[in-house]
C-alpha cells in the first residue's frame, strides 16, 4: 500500500491557480525530489500536505486513511487538524526555531505539549519528561550536535540551526518528512553538512519529500523525481528518466539552465 496518495489537488490564491490537478503516490521508505522554478507551486504543495493551507479540491491519503477530501465541508479541514499534521514533519527554509529556547528545548517542545494531554500525565510526569529528554538528546546526537544541546539559535551556525530543525521534525516520528528548500539560506560549506544529514536519512529508508534547487543532490538522493511547472506536474519518473531522458521540452529547458 502506498504511504501517500495525492489525487487531483488544486489550490488558488485569488485568480491565480497555484496548484492544478496534482496527483502522485509514494511508497514507504522512498525519497521524492520535487524540482522546478521558483513560483511553480512546490512550497504550496508542501503546505497543503502539512495542512498549513486548505486545497480547493483534491484528496490526501496517508496509509490508506483519507486525511483530506476537499469536497467535504470546510469545517472538516479543521477537525483533528493537529493529529493530521502529525503524519508529516516539515523542515522550513529559514529554520523557524524559537529563539528563546535552547536546541534541546526546541526539539522536545512539541513532544512535551502532547504528553501533557495524556490521561496519566500528572501521575507519570517525571517519567514522561525523562523519556522525552532522552529522545531529544539522541536526535541531536544523531545530527552531530551532542555538544550544542544547551545553545540558543543565535549561538549556532545556519547549518547547525537547520540540523536542529531536522531533529525537531523527527521528534514526533512522522510518517513522511518534508524539506522545503532546506539549504536555500545556507552558504556552500554549510549546505554540504545539511545535505549529508538528509542523505543519511535516505540511506535509512526514511520516507521523504524534498523540495530543492540542488539538482545533483535531487538526482542522487531520490527514488522518484517530480518536475513542476506553473502549478502542474510537467514530468515525473526515476532520476535517470527525468534528468537523463526528459520527455518534455519544458523539462529539458529547465535542466539545461542548471547544466549551464
Amino acid at each position: 500500500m502506498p504511504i501517500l496518495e495525492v489525487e487531483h489537488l488544486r489550490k488558488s490564491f485569488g485568480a491565480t491557480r497555484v496548484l492544478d490537478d496534482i496527483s502522485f503516490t509514494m511508497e514507504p521508505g522512498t525519497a521524492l525530489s520535487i524540482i522546478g522554478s521558483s513560483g511553480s507551486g512546490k512550497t504550496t504543495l508542501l503546505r497543503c500536505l502539512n495542512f498549513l493551507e486548505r486545497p480547493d479540491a483534491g484528496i490526501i491519503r496517508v496509509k490508506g486513511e483519507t486525511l483530506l477530501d476537499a469536497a467535504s465541508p470546510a469545517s472538516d479541514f479543521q477537525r483533528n487538524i493537529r493529529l493530521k499534521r502529525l503524519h508529516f514533519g516539515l523542515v522550513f527554509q529559514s529554520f523557524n526555531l524559537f529563539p528563546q529556547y535552547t536546541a534541546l528545548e526546541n526539539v522536545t517542545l512539541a513532544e512535551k505539549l502532547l504528553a501533557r494531554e495524556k490521561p496519566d500525565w500528572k501521575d507519570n510526569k517525571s517519567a514522561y519528561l525523562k523519556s522525552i529528554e532522552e529522545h531529544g538528546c539522541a536526535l541531536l546526537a544523531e545530527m552531530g550536535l551532542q555538544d550544542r544541546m544547551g545553545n540558543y539559535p543565535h549561538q549556532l551556525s545556519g547549518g547547525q540551526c537547520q540540523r536542529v530543525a531536522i531533529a525537531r521534525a523527527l521528534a514526533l516520528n512522522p510518517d513522511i518528512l518534508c524539506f522545503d528548500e532546506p539549504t536555500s539560506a545556507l552558504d556552500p560549506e554549510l549546505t554540504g553538512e545539511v545535505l549529508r544529514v538528509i542523505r543519511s536519512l535516505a540511506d535509512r529508508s526514511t520516507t521523504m519529500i524534498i523540495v530543492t534547487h540542488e539538482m545533483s543532490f535531487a538526482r542522487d538522493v531520490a527514488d522518484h523525481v517530480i518536475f513542476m511547472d506553473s502549478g502542474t506536474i510537467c514530468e515525473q519518473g526515476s532520476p535517470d528518466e527525468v534528468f537523463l531522458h526528459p520527455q518534455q521540452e519544458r523539462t529539458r529547458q529547465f535542466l539545461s539552465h542548471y547544466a549551464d
Side-chain angles (χ1 to χ4, degrees):
M1 175 187 295
I3 194 168
L4 175 64
E5 299 169 271
V6 177
E7 298 179 4
H8 308 298
L9 215 63
R10 290 185 172 87
K11 177 66 180 177
S12 295
F13 293 106
T16 303
R17 178 68 62 85
V18 181
L19 297 177
D20 191 2
D21 199 22
I22 300 295
S23 297
F24 65 92
T25 63
M26 284 187 70
E27 296 299 319
T30 60
L32 167 65
S33 289
I34 302 180
I35 61 174
S37 301
S38 297
S40 60
K42 306 183 301 297
T43 293
T44 300
L45 174 57
L46 286 189
R47 290 181 62 82
C48 286
L49 291 177
N50 284 269
F51 298 92
L52 299 174
E53 300 284 354
R54 181 179 185 272
D56 302 319
I59 294 172
I60 298 172
R61 294 190 187 93
V62 175
K63 295 181 175 178
E65 177 188 357
T66 299
L67 300 185
L68 169 84
D69 184 345
S72 301
S75 58
D76 287 356
F77 177 74
Q78 293 295 332
R79 187 175 297 120
N80 298 321
I81 191 167
R82 192 164 52 164
L83 293 178
K84 296 173 183 176
R85 285 175 177 159
L86 291 178
H87 291 281
F88 298 88
L90 179 58
V91 179
F92 298 89
Q93 298 181 38
S94 53
F95 324 137
N96 284 17
L97 299 179
F98 293 107
Q100 71 274 30
Y101 295 143
T102 66
L104 182 58
E105 289 168 340
N106 266 282
V107 171
T108 58
L109 178 62
E111 199 171 356
K112 288 176 179 176
L113 292 175
L114 286 175
R116 288 172 185 169
E117 298 179 2
K118 295 181 181 293
D120 61 345
W121 162 253
K122 289 184 178 179
D123 295 332
N124 296 287
K125 179 179 177 180
S126 296
Y128 274 122
L129 289 177
K130 183 175 183 292
S131 175
I132 291 168
E133 292 281 319
E134 289 175 349
H135 187 212
C137 288
L139 286 170
L140 286 170
E142 185 181 331
M143 298 295 122
L145 296 170
Q146 57 269 24
D147 58 343
R148 295 288 186 268
M149 296 185 188
N151 288 50
Y152 291 88
H154 75 273
Q155 298 171 316
L156 301 171
S157 70
Q160 290 169 337
C161 283
Q162 194 61 294
R163 283 184 279 156
V164 173
I166 295 171
R168 180 180 61 182
L170 288 168
L172 297 179
N173 300 310
D175 294 308
I176 302 162
L177 186 59
C178 302
F179 294 89
D180 184 15
E181 297 289 359
T183 61
S184 64
L186 304 177
D187 64 38
E189 183 176 359
L190 299 179
T191 291
E193 68 184 54
V194 171
L195 294 183
R196 282 192 293 274
V197 168
I198 299 174
R199 189 183 301 278
S200 72
L201 293 171
D203 290 341
R204 298 204 306 271
S205 298
T206 304
T207 306
M208 297 187 293
I209 300 175
I210 307 163
V211 168
T212 182
H213 285 302
E214 301 281 346
M215 291 299 107
S216 60
F217 180 74
R219 176 182 171 184
D220 291 344
V221 80
D223 300 290
H224 195 76
V225 178
I226 285 175
F227 169 58
M228 291 186 64
D229 183 55
S230 301
T232 67
I233 293 179
C234 181
E235 189 159 353
Q236 62 177 310
S238 71
D240 282 351
E241 287 171 338
V242 173
F243 284 96
L244 299 182
H245 308 289
Q247 300 300 303
Q248 304 300 320
E249 178 59 27
R250 180 67 187 96
T251 313
R252 289 192 286 270
Q253 291 174 353
F254 175 81
L255 293 174
S256 68
H257 171 75
Y258 277 90
D260 292 339

